[in-house]
Amino acid sequence: MMLGITVVSHVPEIAAGVVQLLKQVAGETPITFAGGTDDGRIGTSMEKITAAFADNPADTILAFYDLGSAKMNLEMASELTDKEIHIYNVPLIEGAYVAASLIPTGVTRLQVEEQLAPLMVKG
């Protein structure tokens, strides 16, 4: 089972920038992103998220986001794919970086989640 990462941000440049950072440690880990609305404004798009899931060759995707409405769109998009999607309520950069640095070492999703646990935002 291949693990991949999807990054979702309200700001297109933030989503793309986080991915640039992650690629410094992610090895061959597949990473996709969705940023902004369909018309390029600040916000998120379920369609862009669905496309990011489809473009990611991984069977299991660890999804990271910046604000609550992105989580809502992630949850809806996750219902439209056959892939296994796991959404994490952690600080976007830190959480995604932890996952990106661990996945190339061959760890399991549960081992990644153990390392993400201290970062989880309550509520």
Side-chain angles (χ1 to χ4, degrees):
M1 175 189 326
M2 182 190 311
L3 295 175
I5 295 172
T6 295
V7 172
V8 179
S9 175
H10 281 67
V11 179
E13 296 84 1
I14 290 176
V18 170
V19 171
Q20 283 184 304
L21 175 66
L22 300 183
K23 287 185 176 182
Q24 298 301 306
V25 297
E28 299 298 315
T29 302
I31 305 172
T32 53
F33 68 92
T37 62
D38 292 331
D39 59 1
R41 293 180 299 147
I42 302 296
T44 59
S45 159
M46 191 178 72
E47 291 78 18
K48 283 187 174 187
I49 296 168
T50 302
F53 289 161
D55 291 344
N56 195 313
D59 305 313
T60 301
I61 297 175
L62 312 185
F64 299 90
Y65 64 95
D66 58 3
L67 299 172
S69 60
K71 180 181 181 188
M72 179 185 67
N73 279 330
L74 270 165
E75 289 171 342
M76 289 188 297
S78 71
E79 295 177 13
L80 301 175
T81 182
D82 292 333
K83 297 182 182 198
E84 186 179 326
I85 308 296
H86 299 272
I87 302 168
Y88 299 99
N89 188 16
V90 296
L92 173 62
I93 296 170
E94 293 85 347
Y97 191 88
V98 166
S101 63
L102 290 173
I103 291 171
T105 68
V107 299
T108 66
R109 176 183 56 84
L110 294 177
Q111 289 171 310
V112 172
E113 288 177 352
E114 286 176 14
Q115 298 302 311
L116 290 175
L119 300 174
M120 293 289 183
V121 177
K122 307 295 184 231

